[in-house]
Amino acid sequence: MEPIIQVKNVNFEYSGHEGELTTALNNVSLDINKGEFVAIIGHNGSGKSTLAKHFNALLHPGSGDVIVKGMNTKDDDKVWDIRQVAGMVFQNPDNQMVATIVEEDVAFGPENLSIPSSEIRQRVDSALNVVGMSKFAKTAPHYLSGGQKQRVAIAGVIAMRPEIIILDEPTAMLDPSGRKEVMDTVHYLNKEEEITIIHITHYMIEAIKADRVIVMEEGKIVLDGPPREIFKQVTTLKEIGLDVPQIVELSFELNKEGFSIPGDPLSIEEMVNILCP
Ligand code: ADP
Ligand code: MG
């Protein structure tokens, strides 16, 4: 089966005011398969957002190719089809609301696709239902919490019937309960609606729940694999200045003290099961 996203030898640089160039992606190649839940981590400036914007043709490679469901993002005729297949949710919930009530906001995307109004109504209702926001359909966005606003932003993307949702640090500005609301919603969409998820985060606790973790550093992919394989590499992660999940840190420290914690636990539950079998 062909991957839903193919990134082939992509280089990208930004040019500044003085004509100086910043390399943001340095020969990046990767495939993302349909239905995967991928977390992308890496510290500030490592190229995560730049890569994310290539997935839905917000940016075009300087060289190399990005193919989304068989469509090359360089093909101008395909831009709107690509953005319909691959929707994006950004960090700041306040910058994503365009309408004065929630349901109009969710309807905005499908309206631009010139979909019949009866179908728009049905898509909006079902999208709000999926993110658990139906009872706020007539509410003004400023009455909502950050987590609720992000769920509305996700509903706006879902109303476009995407196959992929890319979320660029969607939880960074939220409190812990807002973060949980958003993560529960995104996992639900992946499991129940089979939507491919690409989730950029600096919360390791979110990354451990992905199928696959990609680590970026200086515009390159430096590690790519299942969370347990990635977080085993504590020394490498620390060398590039990244945190590891708390439980990984705990077993790392215990192992240094001469204990040997088996099984590379990632979560508190797994650690408890290992210590108290
Ligand atoms: P991340 O999302 O991992 O923090 P970015 O993709 O935003 O990383 O940035 C990658 C590199 O590109 C950094 O060096 C950053 O300073 C630079 N960069 C990002 N956006 C711009 C821009 N609009 N103009 C110039 N340089 C940029
Ligand atoms: Mg970023």
Side-chain angles (χ1 to χ4, degrees), residues 48-49 168-169:
K48 306 180 299 296
S49 296
D168 191 354
E169 303 201 30

Side-chain angles (χ1 to χ4, degrees), residues 17 24 26 40-41 43 46 62 73 78 94 106 110 119 124 140 142 145 158 166 173 177 183 187 233 269 275:
H17 298 299
N26 186 346
I40 304 181
I41 62 175
H43 55 65
S46 57
T73 61
K78 293 287 193 288
D94 292 314
V106 176
E119 189 183 336
V124 168
H142 64 262
S145 69
I158 295 169
I166 304 141
M173 303 182 74
S177 72
M183 291 314 296
H187 279 284
Q233 304 178 56
E269 298 75 42
L275 296 179

